[in-house]
Amino acid sequence: MLSKRFSTKYVIKQFGKLISPFSTQLKIDDMLNTNLNLDDDTIEELYEDTKKSKIMEISKDQIVRNCIILHNFNVRLKKNKYLQECLVLNPKILKNRILVLKEVGVESVGLFHITRFPVLMQKSVTKFKKINGISSTQSIMKTVFSNIGMKVHIPEEKLMKSEINMRIGEYYQLCMLYHKTYHVKLHDELFYKKKKMKYLSLSEMSKMLDVLRNKCLFDVEFIKQHEYLLNVDVDNVEQFLNEFKYVKINDKNIIEIIRMYPRLLLRNANEVKELLQIFQNFKIPTESLYTVVKALEMKKDTFLKRYMSIENNLELAIWLQHPRILLMIYLYKVVINRLTYMRRMNCIYNANVHIYTSSNKFFSRFMVGDVCFTAAGKDLTYILRKELGHDKVHVMSSIQKHPYWKYVPLIRINQTIQYLKKKFSIDDICKNIHIILYPMSTIDNTLNLLYKEYSLQGRHNYTPTQYLALCLYKLEQKHHFTGDGVWQTDMSVFEPNFLGDTYETHNLVDLINDDCNEVINLNGTAWLEHLLQY
C-alpha cells in the first residue's frame, strides 16, 4: 500500500527548498491520525487518486486547525470521501458552517453537511427540516436563538407562518437581521440587501462583538462603521491580541494601532508575527511600520520577493535603510513603473525616495520639471548616516559650503562613498568630505595617476588623507576652483596648470595638512582652503 502511495516522482517546493513527498505525506498521516484518530486504511483512501488529491497542497497549520475543529464539534467522519473537501476549506469557513448547521437544529453534523452546505441552504425550510430529521412543528427561529441563549418575543404562530415559502438560508438571514436590530442594536438596512449571501454564525458574532467591545474597547459607532469586523475569526482575533499584547510601534500599543487600521484584525496572527520578525531581521525602521500599517497585509513571500528585487536594483537599493522603505515595498508596482519610466526619460538620477512614493500629481510635476530633487539635505544626511555612521552626520555643514552640492545626484554620491570606503578610512574621507560630490570614475583615474606619479619620484610618502586632499585639489584645479569639477567630464586633471600656482603640488598637500595660513594666499586655492574647512 505504501509503495503505491509514494511511487510519485515529483517533489514539493517549500520556502525555496525541495521536499520529498514521502516525508510530507508521513507528516500529513501523523496529523490525521493524531487529531482525528483515523486508521491507515482510511487515510490511504485520501491518496487513491493522486491527480485529484489536493491534500498535499494544504498547509500544515490549516490541516491541524481543521482537524481540531472537526474533533471539537464532534463531526461525524463516516463518509471519508468528503474529508478532503473539508480540509481544503478555510478554518473560519469550516467552523462557521458547522455552527450555522447546529444553530438551525441539525443535531449530528457530518462531513456531507459541510461540503453540501451551499446547496442545503438553498432548500426550503420545510424540505430542510425533512432532510435533517427536524420536527415540522419546531420553530427554526426559536431554535436559533435558544442555542445562543436569547429569547424571541414573537408569537409561535407568526414564527411558523414566516417559515412558509422561505429558503432556510433566507430564513437564517432573517434571524440575523432580527438579532442585529433588537439584541445587539447594530441594525443596517443594507445588510439584508447584499446580493451575496453570507452565513455568519450568531454565536460567533456574539463572541466577536464581546471581544470588540471589552478587549478592543470599540464603541457602537466604531463597530457600525467597521461592521465587517463581526465576520472575523474570533479565535484569530484573541490570538492576535494576546500575541501582540506588549508590542509597541512608535509608542502606540496594539489596540491603538488596530483603531487606526482595524482591517489588521483580518490578518492571520501567525503570519503577522512572522512578518514582524522579518522586519526586525531586515532592520526595517519602526517609524516606517507606523506610517504604513497596511504593509502587514502583505504575505511573507511577497515581502521577501519585493525586498530582494529592490536590494538588487542599483537605483533603489540605496533606500533600504530609509524610513520610507516599507512604503516603497508596499507600493512596489508603482515604484517599479516609475523607475522604468524615469529610465526611459533619462531622469532617474534626479529622483529620490519621495519621488517614488509621492502622489501621481506630484510625480507628474516632477516629470515636467516643476519640482527638482537631487541632493536634498535630509536625503543626503540619510546617506551620510548610512555609509559613514551616525557620528559623522556633522560633516553635512561642510558639504553645504560647496556651491553645487544640491545638484549632485544622490545615487552618484552613494556610489562614490562606497568606492572610497574600499580604499580609505571613514576618518580620511570625512577630512576631505567634499570629494564625495565628484564622479567615482574621475576620482579613480586621478588617484591612479597620483599614485603612479609620486611612487616613481620616491621622495614623497603621503598619508591617505594627503592623497585625498591632493586628489581633490587636482579635480578642481582644471576648473579654476569654481566647483565645476563635480560634473562628469572627459578633461584630464593633469593638464598644465591654468592658475599658475607658485607652489609645487606636494608642498600644497603638506601645507594643507599642516593647517598653514600661507595656503590661503595661493592663486585659486583660497576657494579650496574654504572647501576643505572641517
Side-chain angles (χ1 to χ4, degrees):
M1 297 290 285
L2 287 176
S3 61
K4 289 182 180 179
R5 197 192 313 170
F6 298 124
S7 61
T8 177
K9 296 181 180 179
Y10 68 88
V11 292
I12 300 171
K13 192 170 185 180
Q14 185 178 13
F15 304 117
K17 298 179 180 179
L18 295 178
I19 302 174
S20 167
F22 183 87
S23 60
T24 304
Q25 290 182 9
L26 282 178
K27 291 178 182 178
I28 294 174
D29 293 357
D30 183 59
M31 286 185 284
L32 294 174
N33 183 268
T34 303
N35 295 286
L36 295 178
N37 297 321
L38 298 181
D39 55 37
D40 291 340
D41 292 335
T42 304
I43 295 174
E44 187 69 31
E45 294 177 8
L46 297 174
Y47 299 97
E48 283 184 354
D49 191 346
T50 307
K51 293 182 179 179
K52 293 182 180 180
S53 179
K54 296 181 180 179
I55 196 167
M56 299 290 290
E57 301 173 8
I58 310 172
S59 68
K60 176 184 174 182
D61 179 64
Q62 182 172 324
I63 291 178
V64 172
R65 289 182 65 188
N66 283 349
C67 286
I68 292 173
I69 290 171
L70 294 173
H71 180 267
N72 290 344
F73 287 102
N74 298 315
V75 175
R76 288 185 289 109
L77 305 176
K78 289 184 179 180
K79 295 184 179 181
N80 288 305
K81 63 179 181 179
Y82 298 113
L83 178 59
Q84 184 180 167
E85 295 179 47
C86 291
L87 294 177
V88 171
L89 290 174
N90 182 287
K92 161 69 177 166
I93 296 174
L94 177 64
K95 183 179 180 181
N96 207 59
R97 287 185 179 184
I98 296 171
L99 287 171
V100 169
L101 288 167
K102 285 182 174 292
E103 287 169 9
V104 295
V106 180
E107 294 182 358
S108 180
V109 178
L111 297 175
F112 169 80
H113 293 98
I114 299 170
T115 55
R116 300 288 293 171
F117 180 84
V119 176
L120 287 173
M121 297 307 282
Q122 296 299 317
K123 303 291 183 183
S124 66
V125 175
T126 304
K127 193 168 185 178
F128 182 84
K129 287 182 177 181
K130 186 177 181 180
I131 292 173
N132 295 286
I134 302 172
S135 173
S136 59
T137 59
Q138 182 178 335
S139 169
I140 294 293
M141 184 173 282
K142 273 198 170 183
T143 303
V144 168
F145 288 112
S146 64
N147 284 330
I148 62 171
M150 296 284 184
K151 292 184 179 180
V152 182
H153 303 288
I154 301 176
E156 184 80 23
E157 298 79 12
K158 194 173 182 179
L159 288 176
M160 296 303 296
K161 188 177 180 180
S162 64
E163 294 181 0
I164 301 174
N165 299 324
M166 285 193 74
R167 296 176 180 177
I168 186 65
E170 294 173 346
Y171 198 72
Y172 190 82
Q173 292 287 334
L174 186 63
C175 295
M176 173 67 74
L177 187 62
Y178 181 89
H179 181 62
K180 293 181 72 176
T181 304
Y182 296 102
H183 292 158
V184 297
K185 311 298 182 183
L186 290 173
H187 173 60
D188 181 5
E189 293 181 359
L190 296 177
F191 178 82
Y192 195 63
K193 296 179 181 179
K194 292 179 181 178
K195 294 181 180 180
K196 185 177 180 180
M197 297 178 69
K198 293 183 179 179
Y199 305 104
L200 174 62
S201 165
L202 291 180
S203 58
E204 282 291 282
M205 190 186 77
S206 299
K207 288 180 183 177
M208 188 65 219
L209 191 59
D210 181 66
V211 171
L212 293 176
R213 284 174 171 172
N214 300 320
K215 293 187 177 181
C216 296
L217 306 178
F218 295 159
D219 55 25
V220 175
E221 289 303 317
F222 187 89
I223 296 173
K224 281 184 178 180
Q225 292 174 8
H226 305 88
E227 199 169 328
Y228 58 86
L229 292 175
L230 296 176
N231 198 25
V232 178
D233 185 358
V234 64
D235 294 334
N236 181 68
V237 172
E238 290 183 327
Q239 182 188 353
F240 195 98
L241 295 175
N242 290 330
E243 287 279 359
F244 308 115
K245 184 187 300 183
Y246 303 108
V247 172
K248 285 199 172 184
I249 301 174
N250 205 24
D251 294 329
K252 300 283 186 181
N253 61 37
I254 192 62
I255 300 298
E256 293 173 302
I257 295 296
I258 291 172
R259 180 172 285 278
M260 289 171 50
Y261 188 66
R263 287 190 176 274
L264 198 57
L265 293 177
L266 299 175
R267 293 284 283 120
N268 182 279
N270 292 327
E271 292 179 358
V272 173
K273 187 177 180 180
E274 287 182 352
L275 201 56
L276 286 173
Q277 184 61 53
I278 291 174
F279 291 167
Q280 186 176 349
N281 294 342
F282 284 112
K283 298 180 180 179
I284 301 293
T286 305
E287 60 269 28
S288 182
L289 180 58
Y290 178 72
T291 55
V292 199
V293 181
K294 289 183 179 180
L296 292 174
E297 285 184 348
M298 287 187 291
K299 297 290 185 181
K300 178 178 67 175
D301 292 344
T302 301
F303 173 82
L304 290 174
K305 287 178 182 178
R306 293 181 177 185
Y307 186 92
M308 296 300 291
S309 176
I310 291 176
E311 186 178 38
N312 293 324
N313 188 292
L314 177 64
E315 294 89 355
L316 301 179
I318 66 173
W319 307 113
L320 282 176
Q321 297 178 31
H322 195 277
R324 279 184 176 241
I325 183 58
L326 200 56
L327 182 59
M328 288 185 72
I329 295 173
Y330 183 72
L331 301 175
Y332 177 77
K333 293 182 180 179
V334 173
V335 170
I336 294 300
N337 287 339
R338 290 181 177 182
L339 175 68
T340 304
Y341 183 68
M342 287 189 288
R343 276 177 178 167
R344 292 176 180 174
M345 300 300 292
N346 197 29
C347 60
I348 189 67
Y349 284 94
N350 295 327
N352 62 11
V353 66
H354 182 68
I355 298 300
Y356 290 111
T357 57
S358 63
S359 64
N360 290 334
K361 183 178 180 180
F362 191 88
F363 180 71
S364 298
R365 289 180 58 200
F366 169 77
M367 292 307 300
V368 298
D370 285 350
V371 290
C372 179
F373 281 104
T374 46
K378 59 182 179 181
D379 293 323
L380 183 52
T381 301
Y382 156 75
I383 290 178
L384 294 175
R385 185 184 297 112
K386 175 174 71 78
E387 295 295 335
L388 303 180
H390 290 265
D391 59 330
K392 303 298 182 183
V393 177
H394 63 276
V395 299
M396 185 66 192
S397 58
S398 296
I399 294 174
Q400 290 174 330
K401 294 176 182 178
H402 194 288
Y404 302 127
W405 75 272
K406 287 185 177 181
Y407 308 103
V408 181
L410 291 165
I411 296 175
R412 201 183 78 182
I413 293 175
N414 190 73
Q415 289 175 335
T416 300
I417 295 177
Q418 290 178 347
Y419 162 78
L420 291 171
K421 283 169 64 178
K422 295 177 182 178
K423 297 178 178 290
F424 301 93
S425 69
I426 291 177
D427 287 335
D428 291 335
I429 298 171
C430 290
K431 288 177 181 178
N432 301 277
I433 193 61
H434 293 90
I435 201 167
I436 69 173
L437 301 175
Y438 294 79
M440 179 179 66
S441 58
T442 307
I443 294 173
D444 184 65
N445 181 52
T446 304
L447 284 173
N448 288 334
L449 291 173
L450 286 173
Y451 291 147
K452 184 177 180 181
E453 178 181 346
Y454 291 104
S455 63
L456 291 175
Q457 293 180 8
R459 58 193 179 110
H460 302 293
N461 187 20
Y462 294 136
T463 64
T465 302
Q466 290 173 325
Y467 266 114
L468 275 182
L470 182 57
C471 178
L472 190 57
Y473 175 81
K474 284 289 187 180
L475 289 170
E476 276 301 328
Q477 184 182 25
K478 190 69 177 178
H479 301 280
H480 304 269
F481 301 95
T482 59
D484 288 334
V486 298
W487 312 123
Q488 195 77 39
T489 176
D490 295 330
M491 296 175 64
S492 172
V493 297
F494 281 86
E495 293 293 332
N497 189 352
F498 286 103
L499 299 176
D501 288 341
T502 58
Y503 284 82
E504 294 293 333
T505 304
H506 63 272
N507 291 333
L508 173 66
V509 177
D510 293 336
L511 291 170
I512 289 174
N513 287 280
D514 291 337
D515 294 327
C516 181
N517 292 331
E518 193 175 357
V519 176
I520 300 175
N521 300 321
L522 293 175
N523 294 333
T525 57
W527 176 87
L528 181 61
E529 176 64 18
H530 171 72
L531 191 66
L532 294 175
Q533 285 180 3
Y534 190 67

